[in-house]
Amino acid sequence: MQLTETLADELAQEALAVATKLKDDSVIGRVAEAIGASSTTMEEAFLTAVRIRRAETRARALLGALREGPAAPPPPEDVQKNA
């Protein structure tokens, strides 16, 4: 059901923001537990949305790093000594 996924994604975004702000990943588990007490379907959708959002964040970080290119390596020591 589209409503389930929409609500789960909204909750996932909010929970991830709170977890990041508090630097406490247990927020995700606590929210999942609260949701699961009423609806295991919603809990599964929430946890899936969390995984998707985290995967997106990792992928965007990787793309950003690749976009900037590799850092120039320092010159070899013998070149530095002769400078």
Side-chain angles (χ1 to χ4, degrees):
M1 172 185 255
Q2 186 176 357
L3 176 61
T4 302
E5 282 130 16
T6 299
L7 293 173
D9 186 46
E10 289 171 0
L11 287 169
Q13 289 180 66
E14 191 173 339
L16 286 165
V18 171
T20 299
K21 182 179 179 182
L22 299 177
K23 297 179 183 175
D24 182 3
D25 274 350
S26 72
V27 168
I28 304 300
R30 291 166 53 197
V31 172
E33 187 178 318
I35 293 169
S38 299
S39 172
T40 55
T41 302
M42 180 73 154
E43 177 186 21
E44 290 172 16
F46 168 76
L47 290 171
T48 298
V50 167
R51 287 190 297 273
I52 289 169
R53 292 285 175 180
R54 284 180 169 166
E56 176 194 21
T57 299
R58 284 191 299 274
R60 289 189 187 280
L62 174 61
L63 287 171
L66 293 172
R67 199 173 291 121
E68 296 199 15
E77 283 186 55
D78 59 327
V79 173
Q80 290 176 358
K81 289 178 185 176
N82 293 333

